[in-house]
Amino acid sequence: KAGVTQTPRYLIKTRGQQVTLSCSPISGHRSVSWYQQTPGQGLQFLFEYFSETQRNKGNFPGRFSGRQFSNSRSEMNVSTLELGDSALYLCASSSQGLGETQYFGPGTRLLVL
Amino acid sequence: QQQVKQSPQSLIVQKGGISIINCAYENTAFDYFPWYQQFPGKGPALLIAIRPDVSEKKEGRFTISFNKSAKQFSLHIMDSQPGDSATYFCAARAPSGSARQLTFGSGTQLTVLP
């Protein structure tokens, strides 16, 4: 089976712009979770989608949003980018959700200038 | 109460030695404790996980020890190899419901010297 894929792998944006990141889960997996990884804050949970519905949400502002499509692919959107949004954004898929084995993608590295 | 505290921040071990990474938590309702391994440029990969009704779990060279009363758990890597050099994260899962999510420790950068 192909692993979790994320596109793009690298992205440079400027403050105030918005960005959309994409994640394709492992075939058959219905749960997709998103995480932000930074040197200062570590790995932080953003949200989880299961069967096109947001099932869990972390403590991030409303500028961070996501969605999941019927084929389980997921997108994450960040509006009005701030310098502090520079991070590695990881998505993980699993067949059922949190607590089951989560398989991470390689991440999208976002740099906000 | 959602925090997971991980130590040490970095660890250097000789080949063949034992690597020990510790984590502590406050929320007694956490019900699942996985460990992840991350290599540079890659996403984290699940190494081993334990539930609080078990005190120890071993998979190959990797062992989790879990102390429910002390609210601590640790990862032991036996016969450490240079290929084990990576960043290790402990995590804990919040209870079921809308707050269900994984909370990660801050990570330990392990270097195994040849």
Side-chain angles (χ1 to χ4, degrees), chain A residues 37 45 56 98-99 102 104-105, chain B residues 32 38 43-44 93 97 100 102:
Chain A
Q37 186 174 27
F45 174 78
N56 294 288
L98 294 170
Q102 289 192 52
F104 281 83
Chain B
Y32 174 73
Q38 185 176 27
R93 185 181 70 176
R100 197 159 172 257
L102 278 177

Side-chain angles (χ1 to χ4, degrees), chain A residues 9 35 37 43 45 48 55-58 88 90 97-106, chain B residues 32 36 38 41-46 51 89 93 97-106:
Chain A
R9 291 294 310 278
Y35 296 84
Q37 186 174 27
L43 269 159
F45 174 78
E48 183 214 3
R55 193 160 68 168
N56 294 288
K57 189 176 190 305
L88 180 67
L90 294 158
L98 294 170
E100 304 297 326
T101 299
Q102 289 192 52
Y103 298 88
F104 281 83
Chain B
Y32 174 73
Y36 284 85
Q38 185 176 27
K42 304 283 187 182
L46 179 69
R51 298 190 187 274
F89 295 92
R93 185 181 70 176
S98 61
R100 197 159 172 257
Q101 65 185 65
L102 278 177
T103 300
F104 283 85
S106 54

